[in-house]
Amino acid sequence: METEKPDRIVLEFSGAKEKVDNLLSQRFTMLHELSPSSEGGIWKVRLVLDSRETDYVKKRAIEQALEIIRNRIDQFGVAEPEITLQGTDQILVQLPGIRDPQRAIKLIGQTALLEFKLVDEEGDVDEALKGNIPPGDMVLYQRSWTRRQGPREGFLSC
């Protein structure tokens, strides 16, 4: 796999490039195509993230990291924890009176898992649920919750 810059994405796919172009222009306007190439029916498209979007993603990542750390620290019941941003990419955590610093470090440093899956919008979900899953696809079960609608359940074909 090629190493790319953090603001770059490389897509490799077969089939009609026009469909991907339409999807990118309609739903992913923050991505700009750099250099498409095709070899043996496989398209390789390099995309770059718009600089404003890159800045926004970095800002949100820091905000989310602070929130996650605060939520994890709440489990300790520390009276007045200090969790602050230092510079642009460091977070200072001070836990006065904590008796087990290794447990705190372990809890704060836990890694979460995030997976990115593309949705097959052309596949028939009902057929997939009957066992007729298109090659390269899989059926994933989804549970979601929103404040307005409450819990919702459904299936996605990916």
Side-chain angles (χ1 to χ4, degrees):
M1 181 167 174
E2 295 179 39
T3 303
E4 289 290 329
K5 294 181 180 180
D7 63 346
R8 311 259 165 121
I9 298 171
V10 177
L11 292 179
E12 290 186 17
F13 59 93
S14 61
K17 184 175 179 300
E18 295 78 27
K19 288 184 179 182
V20 174
D21 289 340
N22 288 338
L23 179 68
L24 290 172
S25 67
Q26 291 172 8
R27 295 192 183 176
F28 300 98
T29 56
M30 77 292 291
L31 293 172
H32 304 286
E33 192 172 298
L34 292 179
S35 57
S37 62
S38 178
E39 186 177 316
I42 303 293
W43 280 98
K44 184 183 251 184
V45 178
R46 285 181 173 78
L47 302 165
V48 64
L49 193 59
D50 179 270
S51 62
R52 287 174 292 160
E53 190 69 18
T54 301
D55 293 342
Y56 173 76
V57 168
K58 287 178 184 175
K59 180 181 177 217
R60 285 292 301 136
I62 291 168
E63 290 170 356
Q64 289 173 341
L66 285 166
E67 182 180 343
I68 289 166
I69 290 171
R70 282 188 185 106
N71 290 339
R72 290 179 180 176
I73 295 299
D74 284 347
Q75 295 179 24
F76 283 98
V78 177
E80 294 185 31
E82 185 177 329
I83 305 161
T84 56
L85 182 62
Q86 281 198 321
T88 59
D89 62 354
Q90 294 184 354
I91 298 172
L92 173 66
V93 178
Q94 293 182 343
L95 306 172
I98 195 79
R99 288 189 170 79
D100 189 353
Q102 289 305 315
R103 182 171 170 250
I105 290 168
K106 184 178 177 186
L107 184 66
I108 292 168
Q110 286 178 342
T111 303
L113 175 64
L114 174 66
E115 290 186 66
F116 178 74
K117 304 279 186 183
L118 295 175
V119 176
D120 180 354
E121 295 183 7
E122 295 177 2
D124 185 340
V125 176
D126 292 328
E127 283 297 312
L129 291 174
K130 293 176 187 174
N132 301 321
I133 302 170
D137 283 9
M138 66 175 119
V139 177
L140 301 174
Y141 185 71
Q142 172 185 331
R143 266 187 253 174
S144 62
W145 186 89
T146 61
R147 288 184 181 170
R148 192 178 319 153
Q149 296 176 331
R152 294 179 24 200
E153 296 182 359
F155 291 93
L156 293 176
S157 178
C158 300

